[in-house]
Amino acid sequence: MFTQGAFVIVLNENQQILLVKRKDVPLWDLPGGRVDPEETAEEAAVREVLEETGYSAALSAKIGVYQRPKFQDEQHVFAGHITGGQAIANGMETAGLKWFSPQRLPLFMVPNRKRQIKDFVNGALDTTITLKDRGMVAAIDLLKRRLGK
């Protein structure tokens, strides 16, 4: 059975993307997380943006579903914008927030996020993509999943 995740590419008026610095691993990520039982991916995406950033968000499009068979994981990626709220500097899962130009993303990001952002910039809508995870961060992620952490 696949786990389900929901993530949002939140844009501001300058067409910058909001990223969160994770507390569990020192990487930048899109706001998002696991879809809870009895919750749609859209509901989870909006909830996760609020929990991780302090901002209320509205979704404007579904970029796609990114399947990671090696990890038994499926990630729903949406585009959205802020409708209210106030930024939190330090949350339960978030060590920081920052706006980035899509052309100047940070070096240390969660695997596949740059791909998802590139797809968004190139106009992808409601696509389904199977990802081939490689590299050290992907190996660490797989080990954590197998150990149940």
Side-chain angles (χ1 to χ4, degrees):
M1 180 150 161
F2 277 58
T3 58
Q4 300 282 313
F7 298 85
V8 184
I9 298 172
V10 179
L11 284 180
N12 67 12
E13 61 280 352
N14 297 322
Q15 302 303 300
Q16 294 172 311
I17 296 171
L18 181 62
L19 296 179
V20 297
K21 185 92 171 248
R22 295 173 53 141
K23 278 192 173 178
D24 58 347
V25 289
L27 298 173
W28 289 97
D29 198 359
L30 294 170
R34 189 174 297 230
V35 178
D36 291 335
E38 310 291 324
E39 183 178 46
T40 67
E42 291 83 358
E43 291 168 336
V46 170
R47 175 183 53 78
E48 287 284 348
V49 170
L50 181 61
E51 288 176 2
E52 293 184 0
T53 70
Y55 291 123
S56 298
L59 304 179
S60 56
K62 185 167 190 174
I63 306 307
V65 177
Y66 293 81
Q67 298 172 337
R68 301 169 67 205
K70 185 191 270 185
F71 295 87
Q72 297 182 337
D73 184 49
E74 192 170 80
Q75 300 175 353
H76 301 263
V77 179
F78 300 92
H81 60 277
I82 293 173
T83 59
Q86 187 172 353
I88 55 173
N90 192 358
M92 293 290 290
E93 302 172 22
T94 306
L97 307 173
K98 190 171 178 183
W99 295 96
F100 290 91
S101 163
Q103 292 76 31
R104 296 183 153 258
L105 296 170
L107 178 62
F108 297 108
M109 289 184 69
V110 168
N112 301 309
R113 294 295 183 242
K114 289 182 181 180
R115 161 71 189 271
Q116 294 162 345
I117 291 169
K118 181 180 176 186
D119 289 348
F120 164 73
V121 169
N122 290 333
L125 287 175
D126 209 16
T127 186
T128 299
I129 295 171
T130 301
L131 299 168
K132 294 181 174 96
D133 290 294
R134 297 183 184 102
M136 182 59 74
V137 176
I140 291 169
D141 193 18
L142 182 59
L143 182 61
K144 282 173 61 176
R145 283 179 173 275
R146 291 203 172 143
L147 293 175
K149 297 190 180 210

